[in-house]
Amino acid sequence: MNVTRIQATVIGDSDAEPEALTAAEAVGAILAKLGVTVVTGGRGGIMEAASKGAAEAGGLTVGILPFEESIKANSYCRVVIPTGIGHARSYVNILCGDLIIVIGGGAATLSEMCFAWMQNKPIFALKAYGGYAQEFAGKQLDSLRHDVVISCENIRELEKKVSDWLHLEDILN
């Protein structure tokens, strides 16, 4: 029997505002309760908050670091993958996720959204915290795909849409 655990890559600002960090923590907890592994860049901000929420809810957390030293991961990462490849690790983060969740986001987040778009990954954007999540929610990044970045007004809507997506995946597999 092939049992593969779904993985969600959570991306966003490393210097996010407190409200966005609270939201990321809630998102991590929701994903853990849904049985989803949480993958992040393993550092601070949104990455640490999502990892904290997932870890405290009993979920599995993975940090993909840009550094060569595992010790630089946030303390909530249960699995740490030091890459030593700097910003290029963003592509690895995206490849690890079956789905992508965006909270806020600056230039590095935008690059990850672009990688996800090119890899045909579903992208869920939590709009309430600004950044590129808000900018691209409900829009196409370009004409490569016919769908859009999935717009979520709040955490409750994000939970519903991710849960619906997970159930659809179960049906298709």
Side-chain angles (χ1 to χ4, degrees), residues 17-171:
E17 297 294 322
E19 300 82 22
L21 297 175
T22 299
E25 194 172 324
V27 167
I30 288 165
L31 292 169
K33 290 175 186 167
L34 291 171
V36 175
T37 298
V38 173
V39 178
T40 71
R43 298 190 65 217
I46 295 297
M47 298 171 278
E48 183 172 19
S51 298
K52 178 182 181 193
E56 289 181 351
L60 180 59
T61 57
V62 178
I64 313 283
L65 296 176
F67 315 113
E68 294 179 355
E69 303 87 9
S70 296
I71 194 76
K72 292 185 177 180
N74 72 62
S75 63
Y76 301 101
C77 293
R78 298 298 172 249
V79 176
V80 177
I81 302 171
T83 66
I85 59 176
H87 289 293
R89 76 80 155 83
S90 294
Y91 196 61
V92 177
N93 287 353
I94 295 307
L95 290 175
C96 288
D98 297 298
L99 66 136
I100 312 304
I101 297 175
V102 188
I103 304 169
T109 302
L110 177 59
S111 72
E112 289 173 314
M113 289 177 72
C114 291
F115 292 146
W117 188 258
M118 291 184 292
Q119 289 296 321
N120 204 34
K121 306 272 183 168
I123 305 167
F124 296 82
L126 190 54
K127 287 179 59 173
Y129 306 97
Y132 285 111
Q134 183 177 32
E135 177 74 24
F136 287 105
K139 298 177 185 173
Q140 292 179 305
L141 295 184
D142 67 13
S143 61
L144 179 66
R145 293 168 48 174
H146 299 289
D147 63 333
V148 297
V149 173
I150 301 161
S151 179
C152 303
E153 295 292 329
N154 53 48
I155 294 171
R156 178 172 285 152
E157 185 176 6
L158 176 75
E159 180 177 14
K160 167 115 177 57
K161 288 182 177 182
V162 168
S163 183
D164 289 348
W165 184 85
L166 290 170
H167 291 321
L168 180 60
E169 284 297 298
D170 285 344
I171 291 168

